[in-house]
Amino acid sequence: MKILFFGPNGSGKGTQGAIVKDKYGIPHIETGVIFRTNIGQGTDLGKEAKGYIDRGELVPDSITIPMILDRLKQDDCKDGWLLDGFPRNLTQAQELDKALKEAGITLDIVIDMKLDRQIAKDRIMGRRLCVNDNNHPNNIFIDAIKPDGDKCRVCGGDLKTRDDDQDADAIDQRHNIYYDTETGTTAGLLFYQDVSAKNDGVPRIVDLDGKNALPEVSAELMDKLDA
Ligand code: ADP
């Protein structure tokens, strides 16, 4: 199963993505996580990416596109994958489409998780990352997933914030890119909606309402994936 997951920054996409990954037993490829891992390890890629990420800008396509296309060629991707955080602009969407066509790979599903921009911003400012597992949801502004004191509500691990999550300008910048229908992430989504419309509904577009609580969103997603 090959799946793209679109949703604004702060929509809970990472959390739902982890569930989709388990359902199909496919790798969950998160562009942001790849960058942050490289930054943490002090690699050349990490050093190059850090400035862009801290400002809320996209890392240039010349770095990101080959990085992801190479990742999809690795062995664990041969039976499927879930891409989260890519494509993030129209060029990335077009280049991915081209690369998949050349490789004879069919994209099965595009998930479109919708969330109002202000709600997404509040969720980002409140989110806390568990040092043991970044898929343990913790958010100081959401009752259902409030941390346990200053510890992870799932495993009791220490929590940290991301630099780019506490900077309102960087968040606005990320959302400007996401909601941009001309060249930004939404333009990439519209591109795939068009591909689907012209190709008998392949890939299948799955709409998801991101404003409900996490378990409800998961339930809606599972229902729709099984439909
Ligand atoms: P969020 O969804 O909260 O913005 P991510 O972890 O997905 O967080 O991404 C963090 C940062 O990594 C982005 O703001 C951007 O700088 C960079 N990044 C992630 N995905 C891409 C991409 N496809 N192209 C370019 N830069 C990216």
Side-chain angles (χ1 to χ4, degrees):
M1 189 65 78
K2 280 103 184 169
I3 306 175
L4 299 186
F5 204 148
F6 285 91
N9 330 65
S11 59
K13 185 165 42 80
T15 307
Q16 303 302 339
I19 296 170
V20 176
K21 161 201 150 147
D22 289 343
K23 176 178 172 67
Y24 294 112
I26 50 180
H28 183 190
I29 301 170
E30 295 173 273
T31 328
V33 172
I34 298 178
F35 286 134
R36 281 190 292 282
T37 303
N38 275 276
I39 292 172
Q41 293 169 345
T43 66
D44 288 344
L45 173 68
K47 284 179 196 142
E48 246 194 300
K50 186 169 186 333
Y52 299 101
I53 292 178
D54 286 346
R55 289 189 297 274
E57 293 168 13
L58 292 188
V59 177
D61 286 346
S62 57
I63 299 174
T64 309
I65 294 175
M67 177 182 91
I68 293 298
L69 296 184
D70 282 351
R71 177 69 186 85
L72 295 182
K73 287 184 194 141
Q74 286 174 20
D75 233 28
D76 62 332
C77 289
K78 63 180 187 313
D79 295 328
W81 34 258
L82 168 66
L83 263 183
D84 173 345
F86 187 96
R88 215 163 174 125
N89 62 26
L90 181 57
T91 308
Q92 293 181 4
Q94 290 165 333
E95 290 297 317
L96 176 67
D97 182 58
K98 200 169 108 200
L100 294 182
K101 278 195 181 122
E102 280 168 10
I105 293 170
T106 306
L107 183 63
D108 300 292
I109 293 174
V110 173
I111 301 169
D112 172 15
M113 188 160 173
K114 296 179 191 302
L115 188 65
D116 171 78
R117 187 169 170 157
Q118 186 58 47
I119 300 176
K121 185 171 177 178
D122 293 344
R123 286 193 187 171
I124 294 179
M125 305 281 291
R127 124 174 121 182
R128 299 292 179 268
L129 292 188
C130 172
V131 294
N132 296 327
D133 184 338
N134 70 56
N135 287 316
H136 288 170
N138 288 275
N139 194 306
I140 60 168
F141 295 147
I142 303 177
D143 280 341
I145 53 168
K146 262 209 172 72
D148 189 4
D150 59 358
K151 301 289 182 195
C152 172
R153 47 180 277 284
V154 180
C155 73
D158 286 336
L159 295 176
K160 57 180 184 171
T161 55
R162 273 167 50 182
D163 293 345
D164 59 342
D165 277 359
Q166 299 303 307
D167 177 340
D169 290 340
I171 295 171
D172 285 338
Q173 172 67 16
R174 277 144 72 196
H175 280 154
N176 286 343
I177 297 168
Y178 188 82
Y179 292 99
D180 178 347
T181 56
E182 298 294 317
T183 58
T185 315
T186 301
L189 171 65
L190 293 170
F191 171 84
Y192 277 104
Q193 286 176 341
D194 192 51
V195 170
S196 173
K198 289 179 174 147
N199 191 36
D200 288 334
V202 179
R204 180 156 71 97
I205 310 288
V206 170
D207 287 326
L208 195 58
D209 183 352
K211 76 174 174 312
N212 297 322
L214 287 174
E216 286 155 38
V217 179
S218 305
E220 183 188 349
L221 180 56
M222 290 303 127
D223 274 359
K224 289 187 167 170
L225 289 176
D226 287 334

